[in-house]
Amino acid sequence: MTVTLELTYDMAKALGTRALQVEGARTVAEALRAARERFAGREGDFERMAGVAAIAVNGVLVAHRREGVRLADGDLVTFVKTAAGG
Amino acid sequence: MIKGFAGRVLEVDLEARTAVFRPLDEAIARLYLGGKGYGTRLLYDLTPPGIDPLGPENPLIFATGPLNGSLAPQSNRFAVVCKSPLTGGIGSSACGGSFAFGMKKAGIDVLVVRGRSAGAVRLEIDGDADEVRFLDASDLWGLGTGAAQKALGKGMHHAVIGPGGENLVLYAGIVSDARIAGRCGVGAVMGSKRLKALSIQGTRKLDMEDEAGFKKYTQWVRQVFKGHPVLGEKLRRFGTMGIVNTTNGRNMIPTRNFQEGHHPDAMGLSGEYLEDHGLAGVRSSCLHCPVACGREVEVPGAGRVKGPEYETVGMMGTNLGVTDLEKVSHWNWMADELGLDTISLGVTLGFAMELQERGMLETGLRFGRAEGVAEMIEAIAHRRGLGDDLAQGTRRMSEKYGGKAFAMHVKGLELSAYDPRGSYAQGVEYATTNRGGCHVQGASMYFESTGPLTINPQNLKLKAELPVVQQNLACAVNSMVLCIFTTYGLIPRQVHALKPGGWTHRLARVIFENSGPAYRLIMGSKLLQVTWLDTWLSRITGLRFTPGHLQEIGARIFNLERMYNLREGLTGADDTLPERILREPLFKGMDSGHPLDQLLPRYYRIRGWDSHGVPLPETLRKLKVRT
Ligand code: SF4
């Protein structure tokens, strides 16, 4: 089972990648854990920026931090920041 | 005369070549403020039902409000009102630039242009001398909007059309400086009058009730805006393109004609990307606006020009499957020069691409490919070949070639760049907004889905109440005439500062999401107060604005627009969304599309309308809407 984790712009810039493929994560919490491991040595950056973003699964905000939300193969998990625009 | 108003309406007849100054109707100004509200009242009163929107009998009304001409932030805008050739209903659009400032300096609140000139004409209005000059514009005819303004020279404030308006493209706009009144085809109406340009000047001073108090209060509001996370930081720093990553992450950015809501490469179109790659030349703004949400970009062959807005990168970028910023910037510049609305243009191009994809029409345009797009934009503006069909907009294209289920418009007006399946309240707003599928006649998506208190888009809580409040507020703001972004400042910075997922954030979100009954109560007792907007108005006009007053004025304007639409044959059946939005799921895990049918009856009830969407007599009586 593979899910895609998309980072915010700031995270992508600091961590050098825009998206990660995560194998075998069955919940949002597991996907986040896998991401943290991927950024070993830069967890500080990851936590700081992830901490001010909400999380969406396939575009739907998952009540911001319901990390137990289950994932299915092909799901897209996105860090999202609020914005303004016209 | 009420302070803040110049007290004059200028009526111009292009056929008879007459110009008459009349006093502003104070009673209408009290009931409808100015801008869109005053313009709608005039349109309703001046025209019989069923006029041809592109005929000489359709008046083109430019209207300012009591705040225009002051130094209030985001206040130099004008409204344009007429019957829309795109929808056949109420047409209204707003524009920044400097023309509104010119109108107030010339001592004119409202300018009504009627009739049709025999040849290309332009107007020069000298407000100090009370002189209106009708000048031959054949040398300007065919020029782009930038070139035409350059030819007109500095010293006066201009509003012009490009070839799109001249050739009656149904989504042509009117341009002032680098800003455009893009929606509803107001530029086509100006073109139908053979009016290329309006230039205005004057040195009159705006008479205020409490000038010192107004200035002091404005200073305070400026400080609030400056420190506000949206107005002072995000919008200022990244421009409107700063929303791309949010809507993309939320599956709400139209992609391939709304077939999807996410594009893996959308980040390259974001405000953050623009800033980091040094592509944003300088900030640009409407006159006297401290937010300066505009950007300038380098376009090969054109130099440094106005950069695309969020709507443009959505509709002409991801919606076409194209994420090449250079291409989108180029098309945006072309559209501005040709005087075309990039939202309607982008949706129509996306529709043409889907027709091609389905083998329903050979358009030469394909999703994800930039080839042929620039040529098609030119062809649309000059009504050449297939461009002649695309110039009629998505609805008419679908009537001719099929594909109504994926023609992304409401009432004929193309949808903007927020997929309502990710923002149910926004969907209700698109469906019910009188001018059609538009996001700046309320902007529920900000308060619902993209702002700091994002509520669950997949339940029905607050999804009918929010659009009513937002539409009313937007009607009032569009009648002042202020930029809609001022309303973003209503969510205090403290709310923005809440940490997503933290308990205070969760608590605030739950309260907001469950506040429907409170909203209904507050709306019923007119207690909804909009602090600085009311205070500004009071200090300028001397009128007392009681709590809820702006909601009431907004509701009055909204209901009058509704009555206009009903008169022109639009009914509750037009309060709908494209079939794709209603039927096709957007998210993985979503069973169907937007649940409009469940929300519309509640919306009608809150509005005080019957089950067919017709305002009840008591609603009109209560709001003092005379029809
Ligand atoms: S925020 Fe942007 S659109 Fe609004 S007035 Fe300022 S520059 Fe113009």
Side-chain angles (χ1 to χ4, degrees):
Chain A
M1 186 180 107
T2 310
V3 298
T4 304
L5 196 68
E6 264 189 11
L7 307 182
T8 65
Y9 187 84
D10 287 346
M11 291 163 86
K13 211 166 59 156
L15 301 168
T17 183
R18 212 170 57 194
L20 337 163
Q21 302 287 320
V22 176
E23 298 288 339
R26 279 163 303 143
T27 61
V28 168
E30 287 177 19
L32 295 184
R33 203 171 311 129
R36 268 183 217 109
E37 280 164 18
R38 201 73 68 84
F39 298 117
R42 284 178 294 172
E43 297 95 336
D45 279 346
F46 178 82
E47 293 301 340
R48 185 173 45 80
M49 290 182 282
V52 291
I55 293 172
V57 176
N58 300 321
V60 182
L61 289 182
V62 287
H64 297 277
R65 278 307 149 83
R66 292 230 317 271
E67 297 186 358
V69 170
R70 296 198 69 77
L71 297 174
D73 190 35
D75 277 353
L76 178 69
V77 180
T78 330
F79 287 98
V80 190
K81 289 177 61 170
T82 60
Chain B
M1 178 47 55
I2 311 166
K3 301 279 174 62
F5 290 93
R8 298 198 303 175
V9 176
L10 172 60
E11 274 186 36
V12 174
D13 188 323
L14 294 174
E15 222 146 326
R17 303 241 156 175
T18 55
V20 184
F21 287 94
R22 300 191 194 283
L24 186 85
D25 188 321
E26 264 200 62
I28 297 182
R30 277 174 203 272
L31 286 171
Y32 292 94
L33 287 177
K36 171 170 125 149
Y38 198 105
T40 306
R41 183 74 261 173
L42 272 189
L43 179 72
Y44 197 100
D45 292 345
L46 286 176
T47 56
I51 57 166
D52 174 4
L54 297 177
E57 59 277 23
N58 190 13
L60 186 64
I61 302 166
F62 296 79
T64 60
L67 286 173
N68 305 129
S70 77
L71 293 181
Q74 299 166 292
S75 70
N76 279 303
R77 302 175 67 78
F78 60 96
V80 190
V81 180
C82 57
K83 184 173 181 181
S84 165
L86 200 55
T87 70
I90 186 75
S92 69
S93 201
C95 184
S98 64
F99 190 72
F101 193 70
M103 279 179 73
K104 279 314 249 306
K105 283 288 182 196
I108 297 166
D109 298 303
V110 179
L111 166 60
V112 184
V113 183
R114 307 174 79 167
R116 171 185 286 152
S117 168
V121 69
R122 68 184 179 91
L123 294 180
E124 267 186 17
I125 302 162
D126 181 337
D128 293 343
D130 288 349
E131 198 186 325
V132 178
R133 293 183 281 273
F134 296 78
L135 303 167
D136 176 49
S138 37
D139 54 332
L140 299 180
W141 205 252
L143 287 187
T145 58
Q149 291 186 87
K150 203 166 161 203
L152 290 167
K154 291 195 163 66
M156 294 186 95
H157 304 285
H158 310 297
V160 303
I161 54 167
E166 295 170 10
N167 296 316
L168 311 184
V169 176
L170 296 189
Y171 43 87
I174 299 173
V175 171
S176 172
D177 300 342
R179 297 276 164 176
I180 181 164
R183 308 239 67 194
C184 296
V186 294
V189 175
M190 187 154 154
S192 74
K193 302 192 170 311
R194 303 202 179 98
L195 176 60
K196 177 71 182 179
L198 295 148
S199 306
I200 198 159
Q201 69 171 11
T203 56
R204 293 176 191 241
K205 194 172 175 298
L206 189 69
D207 196 10
M208 300 186 197
E209 174 74 12
D210 172 12
E211 195 168 341
F214 176 79
K215 277 192 180 149
K216 209 165 148 213
Y217 193 70
T218 299
Q219 278 312 325
W220 178 79
V221 175
R222 274 183 176 264
Q223 287 310 316
V224 173
F225 281 13
K226 229 170 137 184
H228 192 273
V230 173
L231 300 172
E233 290 166 26
K234 284 189 181 157
L235 263 180
R236 188 167 166 73
R237 184 154 169 221
F238 301 122
T240 55
M241 285 166 75
I243 201 172
V244 167
N245 291 324
T246 304
T247 47
N248 195 40
R250 289 291 321 275
N251 234 332
M252 281 171 69
I253 197 163
T255 303
R256 303 194 310 120
N257 196 33
F258 290 78
Q259 293 184 68
E260 292 150 273
H262 181 88
H263 195 294
D265 299 324
M267 216 175 243
L269 293 172
S270 67
E272 291 90 331
Y273 182 90
L274 201 72
E275 187 190 65
D276 277 353
H277 292 76
L279 296 169
V282 285
R283 292 192 184 105
S284 71
S285 77
C286 305
L287 196 64
H288 304 146
C289 175
V291 178
C293 73
R295 293 291 173 277
E296 290 185 350
V297 294
E298 296 283 342
V299 166
R304 184 175 278 187
V305 295
K306 189 187 103 186
E309 299 284 343
Y310 168 71
E311 290 302 324
T312 309
V313 298
M315 299 327 310
M316 302 191 66
T318 52
N319 189 50
L320 306 185
V322 175
T323 53
D324 180 338
L325 186 59
E326 201 175 291
K327 288 275 182 293
V328 177
S329 298
H330 182 234
W331 299 336
N332 177 60
W333 168 73
M334 286 182 71
D336 281 349
E337 273 301 298
L338 295 164
L340 301 176
D341 170 27
T342 52
I343 300 177
S344 287
L345 175 62
V347 173
T348 308
L349 289 167
F351 182 71
M353 287 180 178
E354 189 159 348
L355 288 179
Q356 171 78 49
E357 189 176 73
R358 290 168 177 261
M360 295 166 74
L361 179 68
E362 186 54 47
T363 65
L365 301 172
R366 287 192 166 77
F367 288 120
R369 278 185 36 192
E371 286 74 26
V373 172
E375 292 75 12
M376 186 56 86
I377 295 171
E378 278 282 343
I380 289 170
H382 293 98
R383 311 279 303 235
R384 286 194 296 258
L386 191 59
D388 190 35
D389 284 334
L390 269 74
Q392 308 260 3
T394 311
R395 180 171 68 186
R396 287 170 177 83
M397 282 285 289
S398 72
E399 283 161 1
K400 183 163 179 183
Y401 295 109
K404 284 186 185 172
F406 55 89
M408 307 310 291
H409 69 87
V410 172
K411 301 182 176 85
L413 187 73
E414 286 76 9
L415 292 192
S416 4
Y418 298 89
D419 193 309
R421 286 166 291 186
S423 190
Y424 284 180
Q426 187 57 48
V428 173
E429 218 179 83
Y430 279 152
T432 54
T433 289
N434 294 304
R435 81 172 183 182
C438 173
H439 68 296
V440 286
Q441 305 297 301
S444 281
M445 81 294 172
Y446 178 65
F447 292 87
E448 178 201 20
S449 289
T450 60
L453 273 184
T454 43
I455 54 181
N456 183 351
Q458 293 195 288
N459 67 26
L460 305 183
K461 289 178 182 171
L462 206 65
K463 307 301 191 295
E465 291 80 359
L466 197 60
V468 174
V469 172
Q470 287 301 311
Q471 286 169 328
N472 290 350
L473 177 61
C475 276
V477 165
N478 285 326
S479 299
M480 287 183 190
V481 182
L482 282 179
C483 170
I484 192 76
F485 291 150
T486 46
T487 63
Y488 288 8
L490 298 175
I491 296 190
R493 54 184 306 167
Q494 290 79 1
V495 174
H496 288 264
L498 299 176
K499 193 167 177 252
W503 73 269
T504 40
H505 188 279
R506 284 210 299 269
L507 183 68
R509 191 177 56 78
V510 168
I511 293 172
F512 183 41
E513 190 170 276
N514 289 290
S515 58
Y519 262 66
R520 289 195 290 276
L521 200 73
I522 289 169
M523 278 187 279
S525 56
K526 298 184 194 161
L527 277 173
L528 223 57
Q529 168 88 323
V530 184
T531 51
W532 60 75
L533 303 178
D534 310 15
T535 312
W536 264 343
L537 278 176
S538 292
R539 295 209 174 156
I540 278 209
T541 60
L543 300 176
R544 267 197 68 226
F545 285 85
T546 50
H549 204 151
L550 285 182
Q551 276 290 317
E552 184 187 318
I553 292 174
R556 180 176 299 130
I557 296 164
F558 197 84
N559 276 273
L560 179 65
E561 286 186 323
R562 183 79 184 179
M563 294 312 290
Y564 182 83
N565 275 358
L566 287 164
R567 198 182 81 170
E568 300 306 317
L570 289 150
T571 67
D574 296 290
D575 293 336
T576 188
L577 292 165
E579 212 176 307
R580 163 161 292 160
I581 299 290
L582 293 174
R583 311 255 173 276
E584 295 176 20
L586 175 69
F587 314 123
K588 199 175 155 209
M590 194 179 184
D591 317 325
S592 61
H594 189 285
L596 182 68
D597 53 341
Q598 295 175 60
L599 291 164
L600 210 49
R602 193 161 102 218
Y603 174 91
Y604 283 172
R605 265 199 310 280
I606 299 169
R607 276 265 172 233
W609 296 355
D610 71 13
S611 57
H612 302 290
V614 178
L616 295 166
E618 58 261 36
T619 304
L620 297 179
R621 214 167 28 246
K622 208 167 82 190
L623 291 170
K624 300 194 186 78
V625 178
R626 178 176 44 81
T627 54

